[in-house]
Amino acid sequence: QVQLVESGGGLVQAGGSLRLSCAASGRAFSNYVMGWFRQARGKEREIVAAINWSGGSTYFIDSVKGRFTISRDNAKNTVNLQMNSLKPEDTAVYYCAARDGRLQLYDHWGQGTQVTVSS
């Protein structure tokens, strides 16, 4: 089992930056693919970024490419989402999630952190 706790959300003006962090507790963190999801009000949850166990492979949705980066530190059991050039449409609750590298389903979730980008 992995427990996930996000931090770093807040209010920022358009064009600004925020760094979200996710601290994981439990065993075998390095075995998990880590993802960041977001859910805006009235919309479905969507995956924003993901990173494999080694950090050597990443994924981003098109709308954040070139603006967001994802990184992980397996020694510290953390995964970070650096968000630059934020836009009002990035406003959402952001969730950290984990899945076993052999599976497709994200089955460990954090409680979420609010990101609000003002125009």
Short mmCIF file of all heavy atoms in Angstrom, two decimals, residues 6-8 17 19 21 31 40 43 56 65 74-75 83 86 104 107 109 114:
data_model
loop_
_atom_site.label_atom_id
_atom_site.label_comp_id
_atom_site.label_asym_id
_atom_site.label_seq_id
_atom_site.Cartn_x
_atom_site.Cartn_y
_atom_site.Cartn_z
N GLU A 6 -0.49 15.38 -1.01
CA GLU A 6 -0.06 16.48 -1.87
C GLU A 6 0.11 17.76 -1.07
O GLU A 6 -0.53 17.96 -0.04
CB GLU A 6 -1.09 16.75 -2.98
CG GLU A 6 -1.42 15.57 -3.86
CD GLU A 6 -2.67 14.86 -3.42
OE1 GLU A 6 -3.03 14.94 -2.24
OE2 GLU A 6 -3.33 14.22 -4.29
N SER A 7 0.94 18.64 -1.60
CA SER A 7 1.11 19.97 -1.05
C SER A 7 1.54 20.91 -2.15
O SER A 7 1.97 20.46 -3.22
CB SER A 7 2.14 19.97 0.09
OG SER A 7 3.40 19.55 -0.39
N GLY A 8 1.42 22.20 -1.88
CA GLY A 8 1.94 23.19 -2.82
C GLY A 8 0.92 23.92 -3.64
O GLY A 8 1.27 24.80 -4.43
N SER A 17 3.89 30.65 -11.50
CA SER A 17 4.34 29.27 -11.34
C SER A 17 3.94 28.73 -9.98
O SER A 17 3.80 29.48 -9.00
CB SER A 17 5.87 29.18 -11.46
OG SER A 17 6.30 29.59 -12.74
N ARG A 19 4.66 24.86 -7.66
CA ARG A 19 5.28 23.53 -7.62
C ARG A 19 4.48 22.66 -6.66
O ARG A 19 4.38 22.98 -5.47
CB ARG A 19 6.72 23.64 -7.15
CG ARG A 19 7.49 22.31 -7.12
CD ARG A 19 8.93 22.57 -6.68
NE ARG A 19 9.72 21.37 -6.56
CZ ARG A 19 10.41 20.82 -7.56
NH1 ARG A 19 10.35 21.37 -8.76
NH2 ARG A 19 11.13 19.74 -7.37
N SER A 21 3.96 19.09 -4.76
CA SER A 21 4.74 17.96 -4.28
C SER A 21 3.81 16.87 -3.77
O SER A 21 2.73 17.16 -3.25
CB SER A 21 5.69 18.40 -3.16
OG SER A 21 6.67 19.28 -3.65
N ASN A 31 8.56 1.15 -7.36
CA ASN A 31 7.87 0.22 -8.25
C ASN A 31 6.66 0.85 -8.93
O ASN A 31 6.08 0.25 -9.84
CB ASN A 31 7.38 -1.01 -7.47
CG ASN A 31 8.53 -1.89 -7.03
OD1 ASN A 31 9.64 -1.77 -7.52
ND2 ASN A 31 8.26 -2.78 -6.10
N ALA A 40 -11.33 19.94 -12.83
CA ALA A 40 -11.91 21.27 -12.74
C ALA A 40 -13.40 21.15 -12.42
O ALA A 40 -14.02 20.12 -12.70
CB ALA A 40 -11.70 22.03 -14.05
N LYS A 43 -16.13 19.34 -14.63
CA LYS A 43 -15.46 18.58 -15.68
C LYS A 43 -14.98 17.24 -15.15
O LYS A 43 -14.87 17.04 -13.94
CB LYS A 43 -14.29 19.37 -16.26
CG LYS A 43 -14.70 20.64 -16.97
CD LYS A 43 -13.51 21.29 -17.65
CE LYS A 43 -13.93 22.53 -18.44
NZ LYS A 43 -12.76 23.17 -19.13
N GLY A 56 12.80 8.09 -16.30
CA GLY A 56 13.30 8.19 -17.66
C GLY A 56 12.23 8.34 -18.72
O GLY A 56 12.53 8.62 -19.88
N LYS A 65 2.14 20.68 -22.23
CA LYS A 65 3.48 20.44 -22.77
C LYS A 65 4.24 21.75 -22.93
O LYS A 65 3.71 22.74 -23.43
CB LYS A 65 3.38 19.73 -24.12
CG LYS A 65 3.00 18.26 -24.01
CD LYS A 65 2.94 17.59 -25.38
CE LYS A 65 2.57 16.12 -25.24
NZ LYS A 65 2.45 15.46 -26.57
N ASN A 74 13.19 8.88 -5.83
CA ASN A 74 12.85 7.61 -5.19
C ASN A 74 13.50 7.46 -3.81
O ASN A 74 12.99 6.73 -2.97
CB ASN A 74 13.23 6.44 -6.09
CG ASN A 74 12.33 6.33 -7.31
OD1 ASN A 74 11.20 6.82 -7.31
ND2 ASN A 74 12.84 5.71 -8.35
N ALA A 75 14.59 8.15 -3.58
CA ALA A 75 15.23 8.10 -2.27
C ALA A 75 14.40 8.83 -1.22
O ALA A 75 14.42 8.48 -0.04
CB ALA A 75 16.62 8.69 -2.34
N MET A 83 4.83 23.68 -12.39
CA MET A 83 3.87 24.27 -13.32
C MET A 83 4.26 25.72 -13.58
O MET A 83 4.26 26.54 -12.66
CB MET A 83 2.46 24.19 -12.74
CG MET A 83 2.04 22.78 -12.33
SD MET A 83 0.34 22.66 -11.79
CE MET A 83 0.41 23.66 -10.30
N LEU A 86 1.30 29.49 -15.94
CA LEU A 86 -0.03 29.00 -15.63
C LEU A 86 -1.11 29.86 -16.27
O LEU A 86 -0.95 31.08 -16.44
CB LEU A 86 -0.23 28.95 -14.11
CG LEU A 86 0.46 27.76 -13.44
CD1 LEU A 86 0.63 27.99 -11.95
CD2 LEU A 86 -0.34 26.48 -13.69
N GLN A 104 -2.53 -1.07 -15.29
CA GLN A 104 -2.96 0.15 -15.97
C GLN A 104 -3.76 1.07 -15.07
O GLN A 104 -3.90 2.25 -15.37
CB GLN A 104 -3.79 -0.21 -17.20
CG GLN A 104 -3.02 -0.96 -18.26
CD GLN A 104 -1.86 -0.15 -18.80
OE1 GLN A 104 -1.99 1.04 -19.08
NE2 GLN A 104 -0.70 -0.78 -18.93
N ASP A 107 -4.56 3.16 -8.55
CA ASP A 107 -5.40 2.72 -7.45
C ASP A 107 -4.99 3.28 -6.10
O ASP A 107 -5.49 2.84 -5.07
CB ASP A 107 -5.44 1.19 -7.39
CG ASP A 107 -4.06 0.56 -7.33
OD1 ASP A 107 -3.07 1.31 -7.38
OD2 ASP A 107 -3.97 -0.68 -7.25
N TRP A 109 -4.53 7.16 -4.31
CA TRP A 109 -4.81 8.56 -4.58
C TRP A 109 -4.56 9.42 -3.35
O TRP A 109 -4.81 8.98 -2.21
CB TRP A 109 -6.27 8.73 -5.00
CG TRP A 109 -6.58 8.09 -6.32
CD1 TRP A 109 -6.93 6.79 -6.53
CD2 TRP A 109 -6.54 8.73 -7.60
NE1 TRP A 109 -7.11 6.57 -7.87
CE2 TRP A 109 -6.88 7.74 -8.55
CE3 TRP A 109 -6.25 10.02 -8.03
CZ2 TRP A 109 -6.94 8.02 -9.92
CZ3 TRP A 109 -6.32 10.28 -9.39
CH2 TRP A 109 -6.66 9.29 -10.32
N GLN A 114 -5.84 22.28 -4.16
CA GLN A 114 -6.48 23.24 -5.07
C GLN A 114 -5.44 24.15 -5.70
O GLN A 114 -4.59 24.71 -5.01
CB GLN A 114 -7.51 24.08 -4.30
CG GLN A 114 -8.18 25.16 -5.13
CD GLN A 114 -9.13 24.61 -6.17
OE1 GLN A 114 -9.94 23.74 -5.87
NE2 GLN A 114 -9.05 25.12 -7.40
#
